[in-house]
Amino acid sequence: MVNLMAGVATDDLRRTLATGAPIVRAIPLPAVRERRSVTVTCPSHPVVDSFFEQLGGALPVADEGAFDVFSALTGTLTAHYAYLATLTSWATGHGIAPDAADRYVRGLFQNVGRSLSDETRPLHRLAADHETPNGNNERIRTAWFGPANAAALVEALDGLLADLK
């Protein structure tokens, strides 16, 4: 059995269903329908992992604690979309037509997204490779995503993780 229900622990589901059958938790993301998203599974199970390998990859984790960390990371998806919507709104507020702003922001971040497939460079390296010292990207990153905002994100993730346990 594969449990796709967020926040429903294996032991709770096993008690509810009164079953001794193997239960594997999984986090399939929307891109799995395009076979382009890794799916976290817990615990590893050869049939389930093989199934998700065909849909973009399986990332088995050993315990529900690790699974909860990945589940918390999943909770950041809509914040990313809200960030992009804020960029688009900002541009329209400065006289750019909404469709042009939307098209540009989508194109900008689709291209950035493609660079994520280069797994030879860690994420901090990708960020540095997209910055010119004292340039526009460095200015926005350091002004907007400084230590206080990074700490706020970590605090929000820690709170979500605590709620998932």
Short mmCIF file of all heavy atoms in Angstrom, two decimals, residues 84-123:
data_model
loop_
_atom_site.label_atom_id
_atom_site.label_comp_id
_atom_site.label_asym_id
_atom_site.label_seq_id
_atom_site.Cartn_x
_atom_site.Cartn_y
_atom_site.Cartn_z
N LEU A 84 7.28 34.75 -7.42
CA LEU A 84 7.23 35.08 -8.84
C LEU A 84 6.05 36.01 -9.15
O LEU A 84 6.18 36.95 -9.94
CB LEU A 84 7.14 33.81 -9.69
CG LEU A 84 8.31 32.83 -9.54
CD1 LEU A 84 8.08 31.60 -10.41
CD2 LEU A 84 9.63 33.48 -9.85
N ALA A 85 4.91 35.77 -8.50
CA ALA A 85 3.74 36.64 -8.69
C ALA A 85 4.04 38.04 -8.18
O ALA A 85 3.60 39.03 -8.78
CB ALA A 85 2.53 36.05 -7.98
N THR A 86 4.79 38.16 -7.09
CA THR A 86 5.17 39.46 -6.55
C THR A 86 6.08 40.20 -7.53
O THR A 86 5.93 41.42 -7.74
CB THR A 86 5.84 39.31 -5.18
OG1 THR A 86 4.92 38.67 -4.29
CG2 THR A 86 6.27 40.64 -4.60
N LEU A 87 7.00 39.49 -8.15
CA LEU A 87 7.86 40.12 -9.16
C LEU A 87 7.03 40.65 -10.32
O LEU A 87 7.24 41.78 -10.78
CB LEU A 87 8.90 39.11 -9.68
CG LEU A 87 9.92 38.58 -8.68
CD1 LEU A 87 10.81 37.54 -9.35
CD2 LEU A 87 10.74 39.70 -8.07
N THR A 88 6.08 39.86 -10.77
CA THR A 88 5.22 40.27 -11.88
C THR A 88 4.39 41.49 -11.48
O THR A 88 4.28 42.45 -12.26
CB THR A 88 4.32 39.10 -12.30
OG1 THR A 88 5.15 38.00 -12.68
CG2 THR A 88 3.42 39.46 -13.47
N SER A 89 3.83 41.47 -10.29
CA SER A 89 3.03 42.61 -9.82
C SER A 89 3.88 43.87 -9.70
O SER A 89 3.43 44.97 -10.02
CB SER A 89 2.40 42.29 -8.46
OG SER A 89 1.45 41.27 -8.59
N TRP A 90 5.10 43.71 -9.23
CA TRP A 90 6.00 44.85 -9.12
C TRP A 90 6.23 45.47 -10.49
O TRP A 90 6.17 46.68 -10.67
CB TRP A 90 7.33 44.43 -8.48
CG TRP A 90 8.32 45.53 -8.41
CD1 TRP A 90 8.42 46.50 -7.45
CD2 TRP A 90 9.34 45.83 -9.37
NE1 TRP A 90 9.44 47.37 -7.75
CE2 TRP A 90 10.02 46.97 -8.93
CE3 TRP A 90 9.75 45.23 -10.56
CZ2 TRP A 90 11.09 47.53 -9.62
CZ3 TRP A 90 10.81 45.78 -11.26
CH2 TRP A 90 11.47 46.92 -10.79
N ALA A 91 6.49 44.63 -11.48
CA ALA A 91 6.74 45.13 -12.84
C ALA A 91 5.51 45.83 -13.40
O ALA A 91 5.63 46.91 -14.00
CB ALA A 91 7.17 43.98 -13.77
N THR A 92 4.33 45.28 -13.18
CA THR A 92 3.12 45.93 -13.68
C THR A 92 2.89 47.26 -12.97
O THR A 92 2.39 48.21 -13.57
CB THR A 92 1.88 45.03 -13.58
OG1 THR A 92 1.64 44.70 -12.22
CG2 THR A 92 2.04 43.77 -14.41
N GLY A 93 3.29 47.33 -11.71
CA GLY A 93 3.19 48.58 -10.97
C GLY A 93 4.11 49.66 -11.52
O GLY A 93 3.94 50.85 -11.21
N HIS A 94 5.07 49.25 -12.31
CA HIS A 94 6.00 50.19 -12.94
C HIS A 94 5.73 50.33 -14.43
O HIS A 94 6.63 50.68 -15.21
CB HIS A 94 7.45 49.77 -12.67
CG HIS A 94 7.85 50.03 -11.26
ND1 HIS A 94 8.34 51.24 -10.83
CD2 HIS A 94 7.81 49.24 -10.16
CE1 HIS A 94 8.59 51.19 -9.53
NE2 HIS A 94 8.27 49.98 -9.10
N GLY A 95 4.48 50.04 -14.83
CA GLY A 95 4.04 50.32 -16.19
C GLY A 95 4.22 49.21 -17.21
O GLY A 95 3.93 49.42 -18.39
N ILE A 96 4.69 48.04 -16.79
CA ILE A 96 4.84 46.93 -17.73
C ILE A 96 3.48 46.24 -17.86
O ILE A 96 2.81 45.98 -16.87
CB ILE A 96 5.92 45.94 -17.24
CG1 ILE A 96 7.26 46.64 -17.04
CG2 ILE A 96 6.04 44.74 -18.19
CD1 ILE A 96 7.84 47.28 -18.29
N ALA A 97 3.09 45.92 -19.08
CA ALA A 97 1.83 45.22 -19.31
C ALA A 97 1.85 43.88 -18.57
O ALA A 97 2.88 43.18 -18.57
CB ALA A 97 1.61 44.99 -20.79
N PRO A 98 0.73 43.51 -17.92
CA PRO A 98 0.71 42.26 -17.14
C PRO A 98 1.15 41.03 -17.94
O PRO A 98 1.90 40.20 -17.43
CB PRO A 98 -0.74 42.14 -16.69
CG PRO A 98 -1.25 43.54 -16.68
CD PRO A 98 -0.54 44.23 -17.81
N ASP A 99 0.70 40.91 -19.20
CA ASP A 99 1.09 39.73 -19.96
C ASP A 99 2.58 39.72 -20.28
O ASP A 99 3.22 38.67 -20.28
CB ASP A 99 0.25 39.59 -21.23
CG ASP A 99 0.38 40.77 -22.18
OD1 ASP A 99 0.64 41.90 -21.72
OD2 ASP A 99 0.21 40.56 -23.40
N ALA A 100 3.16 40.89 -20.52
CA ALA A 100 4.59 40.97 -20.79
C ALA A 100 5.39 40.65 -19.52
O ALA A 100 6.40 39.92 -19.59
CB ALA A 100 4.97 42.35 -21.31
N ALA A 101 4.96 41.18 -18.38
CA ALA A 101 5.65 40.90 -17.12
C ALA A 101 5.59 39.41 -16.79
O ALA A 101 6.59 38.79 -16.42
CB ALA A 101 5.05 41.72 -15.99
N ASP A 102 4.40 38.83 -16.96
CA ASP A 102 4.21 37.40 -16.68
C ASP A 102 5.10 36.56 -17.60
O ASP A 102 5.79 35.64 -17.14
CB ASP A 102 2.74 37.03 -16.86
CG ASP A 102 2.46 35.61 -16.46
OD1 ASP A 102 2.27 35.35 -15.25
OD2 ASP A 102 2.44 34.73 -17.36
N ARG A 103 5.11 36.88 -18.87
CA ARG A 103 5.90 36.12 -19.84
C ARG A 103 7.39 36.21 -19.52
O ARG A 103 8.11 35.21 -19.56
CB ARG A 103 5.64 36.65 -21.25
CG ARG A 103 6.38 35.90 -22.31
CD ARG A 103 6.03 36.43 -23.70
NE ARG A 103 6.82 35.72 -24.69
CZ ARG A 103 7.09 36.20 -25.88
NH1 ARG A 103 6.64 37.38 -26.25
NH2 ARG A 103 7.82 35.51 -26.72
N TYR A 104 7.86 37.41 -19.17
CA TYR A 104 9.27 37.58 -18.86
C TYR A 104 9.67 36.82 -17.60
O TYR A 104 10.68 36.11 -17.58
CB TYR A 104 9.62 39.06 -18.73
CG TYR A 104 11.10 39.25 -18.52
CD1 TYR A 104 12.00 39.12 -19.57
CD2 TYR A 104 11.62 39.52 -17.26
CE1 TYR A 104 13.37 39.25 -19.39
CE2 TYR A 104 12.99 39.65 -17.05
CZ TYR A 104 13.84 39.52 -18.13
OH TYR A 104 15.19 39.65 -17.93
N VAL A 105 8.88 36.97 -16.53
CA VAL A 105 9.22 36.30 -15.27
C VAL A 105 9.20 34.79 -15.46
O VAL A 105 10.10 34.08 -14.98
CB VAL A 105 8.28 36.76 -14.12
CG1 VAL A 105 8.43 35.87 -12.90
CG2 VAL A 105 8.57 38.21 -13.76
N ARG A 106 8.21 34.27 -16.16
CA ARG A 106 8.17 32.83 -16.41
C ARG A 106 9.41 32.38 -17.19
O ARG A 106 10.05 31.39 -16.85
CB ARG A 106 6.91 32.45 -17.19
CG ARG A 106 5.66 32.46 -16.35
CD ARG A 106 4.42 32.20 -17.22
NE ARG A 106 3.21 32.34 -16.48
CZ ARG A 106 2.58 31.34 -15.87
NH1 ARG A 106 3.08 30.11 -15.94
NH2 ARG A 106 1.46 31.56 -15.21
N GLY A 107 9.76 33.10 -18.25
CA GLY A 107 10.93 32.73 -19.04
C GLY A 107 12.22 32.81 -18.23
O GLY A 107 13.08 31.94 -18.33
N LEU A 108 12.32 33.86 -17.43
CA LEU A 108 13.50 34.04 -16.59
C LEU A 108 13.71 32.85 -15.66
O LEU A 108 14.81 32.30 -15.57
CB LEU A 108 13.35 35.34 -15.79
CG LEU A 108 14.47 35.75 -14.85
CD1 LEU A 108 15.72 36.08 -15.63
CD2 LEU A 108 14.02 36.96 -14.04
N PHE A 109 12.65 32.44 -15.00
CA PHE A 109 12.79 31.37 -14.00
C PHE A 109 12.72 29.98 -14.61
O PHE A 109 13.25 29.04 -14.02
CB PHE A 109 11.82 31.59 -12.84
CG PHE A 109 12.32 32.69 -11.95
CD1 PHE A 109 11.96 34.00 -12.18
CD2 PHE A 109 13.21 32.42 -10.94
CE1 PHE A 109 12.46 35.04 -11.40
CE2 PHE A 109 13.73 33.44 -10.15
CZ PHE A 109 13.35 34.75 -10.37
N GLN A 110 12.14 29.82 -15.79
CA GLN A 110 12.24 28.53 -16.47
C GLN A 110 13.69 28.27 -16.83
O GLN A 110 14.18 27.14 -16.68
CB GLN A 110 11.36 28.50 -17.72
CG GLN A 110 9.90 28.36 -17.42
CD GLN A 110 9.03 28.59 -18.65
OE1 GLN A 110 9.51 28.96 -19.71
NE2 GLN A 110 7.75 28.37 -18.49
N ASN A 111 14.38 29.28 -17.28
CA ASN A 111 15.80 29.12 -17.61
C ASN A 111 16.64 28.85 -16.38
O ASN A 111 17.55 28.03 -16.42
CB ASN A 111 16.31 30.33 -18.38
CG ASN A 111 15.74 30.39 -19.78
OD1 ASN A 111 15.51 29.36 -20.40
ND2 ASN A 111 15.50 31.59 -20.28
N VAL A 112 16.34 29.52 -15.29
CA VAL A 112 17.04 29.24 -14.04
C VAL A 112 16.75 27.81 -13.60
O VAL A 112 17.64 27.08 -13.16
CB VAL A 112 16.65 30.25 -12.94
CG1 VAL A 112 17.15 29.82 -11.58
CG2 VAL A 112 17.20 31.63 -13.28
N GLY A 113 15.49 27.40 -13.75
CA GLY A 113 15.11 26.04 -13.39
C GLY A 113 15.90 24.99 -14.16
O GLY A 113 16.28 23.96 -13.61
N ARG A 114 16.14 25.25 -15.42
CA ARG A 114 16.92 24.31 -16.23
C ARG A 114 18.34 24.15 -15.69
O ARG A 114 18.92 23.07 -15.78
CB ARG A 114 16.92 24.74 -17.69
CG ARG A 114 15.65 24.34 -18.42
CD ARG A 114 15.78 24.56 -19.92
NE ARG A 114 15.46 25.90 -20.35
CZ ARG A 114 14.22 26.37 -20.49
NH1 ARG A 114 13.19 25.61 -20.22
NH2 ARG A 114 14.01 27.60 -20.91
N SER A 115 18.90 25.21 -15.14
CA SER A 115 20.26 25.10 -14.61
C SER A 115 20.31 24.17 -13.40
O SER A 115 21.38 23.66 -13.07
CB SER A 115 20.82 26.48 -14.26
OG SER A 115 20.18 27.03 -13.14
N LEU A 116 19.19 23.93 -12.77
CA LEU A 116 19.16 23.02 -11.62
C LEU A 116 19.47 21.58 -12.02
O LEU A 116 19.85 20.77 -11.17
CB LEU A 116 17.79 23.07 -10.93
CG LEU A 116 17.46 24.38 -10.22
CD1 LEU A 116 16.03 24.37 -9.73
CD2 LEU A 116 18.42 24.62 -9.07
N SER A 117 19.33 21.26 -13.29
CA SER A 117 19.64 19.89 -13.73
C SER A 117 21.15 19.62 -13.73
O SER A 117 21.57 18.47 -13.81
CB SER A 117 19.04 19.62 -15.10
OG SER A 117 19.64 20.45 -16.07
N ASP A 118 21.95 20.67 -13.63
CA ASP A 118 23.41 20.51 -13.54
C ASP A 118 23.76 20.16 -12.10
O ASP A 118 24.01 21.03 -11.28
CB ASP A 118 24.12 21.79 -13.98
CG ASP A 118 25.63 21.71 -13.83
OD1 ASP A 118 26.16 20.63 -13.44
OD2 ASP A 118 26.30 22.72 -14.10
N GLU A 119 23.76 18.87 -11.81
CA GLU A 119 24.00 18.42 -10.44
C GLU A 119 25.48 18.37 -10.08
O GLU A 119 25.84 17.96 -8.99
CB GLU A 119 23.32 17.07 -10.21
CG GLU A 119 21.81 17.18 -10.31
CD GLU A 119 21.10 15.86 -10.10
OE1 GLU A 119 21.75 14.87 -9.70
OE2 GLU A 119 19.88 15.82 -10.34
N THR A 120 26.35 18.82 -11.00
CA THR A 120 27.77 18.86 -10.70
C THR A 120 28.11 20.07 -9.84
O THR A 120 29.18 20.13 -9.25
CB THR A 120 28.63 18.90 -11.98
OG1 THR A 120 28.37 20.11 -12.69
CG2 THR A 120 28.34 17.69 -12.86
N ARG A 121 27.20 21.05 -9.81
CA ARG A 121 27.44 22.26 -9.00
C ARG A 121 26.41 22.32 -7.87
O ARG A 121 25.22 22.23 -8.11
CB ARG A 121 27.30 23.52 -9.86
CG ARG A 121 28.37 23.65 -10.93
CD ARG A 121 28.26 24.94 -11.71
NE ARG A 121 27.08 24.90 -12.58
CZ ARG A 121 26.58 25.95 -13.21
NH1 ARG A 121 27.15 27.14 -13.07
NH2 ARG A 121 25.52 25.84 -13.98
N PRO A 122 26.88 22.49 -6.62
CA PRO A 122 25.93 22.64 -5.51
C PRO A 122 25.13 23.94 -5.67
O PRO A 122 25.53 24.85 -6.41
CB PRO A 122 26.82 22.68 -4.27
CG PRO A 122 28.21 22.89 -4.75
CD PRO A 122 28.27 22.55 -6.20
N LEU A 123 24.00 24.02 -5.00
CA LEU A 123 23.10 25.18 -5.15
C LEU A 123 23.79 26.50 -4.84
O LEU A 123 23.57 27.49 -5.55
CB LEU A 123 21.85 24.99 -4.30
CG LEU A 123 20.95 23.84 -4.75
CD1 LEU A 123 19.83 23.62 -3.76
CD2 LEU A 123 20.40 24.10 -6.15
#
